[in-house]
Structures are given as C-alpha cells and as structure tokens.
Amino acid sequence: MKNTQILGLQEESSKLIAEKLNVLLANYSVFYQNTRGAHWNIKGEQFFTLHPKFEELYDSLVLKIDEIAERILTLGATPCHNYSDYLKVSTIQESQEVSDATKCVEQILEAFKTVINLQREILEIAGEAGDEATNSQMGDYITEQEKEVWMYNAYLGK
C-alpha cells in the first residue's frame, strides 16, 4: 500500500507537495554550502562573532535538509541529491563573496527570504491538501527563521 493511502492524503496533492519540497531541498542545500563557505572564509574584526554564528546556522540547515528529504520520502517521492540537480532548480545562487562580514550576512538574509517565501507557499498547498505534518514542519521552520532574520538584521543595524 502506498504511503499516501495510509496517511490519508491524495496522491496528486502529495506529488505536488513533494515537488515543492524538492525545490526547498535544493535551496537549503545551496544555502548550507554558502554558509559553510562563509564560516570557513570569514575575515576581519567580526571573525570571532560570525565564525561560530555561521557554524550554528549551517548545523541547523543540515538538520532541515535531512528532515525535508525524509518528508519527501514519506510522501512517496524521491528526494534529489545531486548538486547539479540542486543548481538547476535552486533560486539561491552560489556565493562568490564569502569573506566580507556584511556581504555574507546580507546573503544569508536573502537566502532566508527565499526559503521563508517558499515555505509559506508550501504551507498553503499542504493546508489545502490536509497535510498537517508538512504544514507543521514548514510552520516550525518559519517561526525559527523569523527570529534569525531579526537577529541578522540587528547585526547589520537594521
């Protein structure tokens, strides 16, 4: 028996949600690698402030990557796993500037904007499909990330 039948979800709705989750997975994967790059390469007087903050962020991102992939599998689909595939669908671009503190934080905020907007879109689709589990997951991510946005903006003095 297919997972969607056991979960009480419509197959077509689950397929659409899984497709959107794969785009989210791609965005998180690029966001993760960009953050790792910033962590490794940050320079200047903000090094001791941002180096551990970036590590905290990429640790959080890698957990979400795993959770999203597992949700895709739960919905009966296959999560993408190749960076070449991620780069085709991700709306977050690979970072080129990973040593300037202000630029790194601005890129992180832009990445948060991208994933939060996509998560809100998934929330709507999952809500219409009655997919409470995906809805809850996206809501939890948004709640956490809104606080992160506030903190990174505070760092920039905004």
Side-chain angles (χ1 to χ4, degrees):
M1 189 179 291
K2 290 190 172 200
N3 288 354
T4 53
Q5 293 172 336
I6 296 170
L7 300 175
L9 299 172
Q10 297 295 317
E11 192 171 339
E12 284 304 309
S13 298
S14 294
K15 182 179 176 186
L16 176 60
I17 294 166
E19 288 171 4
K20 291 289 185 181
L21 286 171
N22 257 318
V23 174
L24 185 62
L25 179 63
N27 277 294
Y28 266 106
S29 296
V30 175
F31 187 6
Y32 167 82
Q33 195 58 40
N34 288 346
T35 305
R36 291 286 305 240
H39 169 77
W40 292 331
N41 295 293
I42 192 74
K43 293 185 179 10
E45 63 187 48
Q46 294 304 313
F47 174 84
F48 287 108
T49 301
L50 292 176
H51 183 75
K53 187 66 179 165
F54 293 159
E55 183 174 9
E56 176 186 308
L57 176 57
Y58 74 67
D59 284 346
S60 173
L61 294 171
V62 78
L63 291 173
K64 287 175 180 60
I65 288 167
D66 190 56
E67 292 168 352
I68 293 164
E70 289 173 352
R71 186 66 194 156
I72 293 166
L73 288 162
T74 300
L75 293 171
T78 303
C80 294
H81 67 279
N82 295 319
Y83 263 87
S84 58
D85 290 337
Y86 294 154
L87 293 174
K88 289 175 189 171
V89 298
S90 177
T91 52
I92 297 174
Q93 302 300 308
E94 292 179 306
S95 293
Q96 302 304 315
E97 174 57 61
V98 290
S99 60
D100 179 85
T102 300
K103 288 180 182 176
C104 287
V105 172
E106 287 171 346
Q107 289 172 1
I108 285 169
L109 284 167
E110 192 61 33
F112 273 130
K113 178 181 176 184
T114 299
V115 295
I116 289 170
N117 286 336
L118 182 52
Q119 289 163 168
R120 289 189 193 287
E121 183 182 340
I122 293 168
L123 262 175
E124 187 174 322
I125 296 166
E128 291 170 5
D131 181 354
E132 181 57 36
T134 300
N135 226 346
S136 177
Q137 185 178 17
M138 295 301 107
D140 289 348
Y141 290 176
I142 292 167
T143 299
E144 176 187 323
Q145 291 161 351
E146 286 178 345
K147 185 175 179 181
E148 289 290 322
V149 166
W150 160 65
M151 289 185 198
Y152 280 105
N153 268 320
Y155 169 86
L156 292 176
K158 295 181 181 181

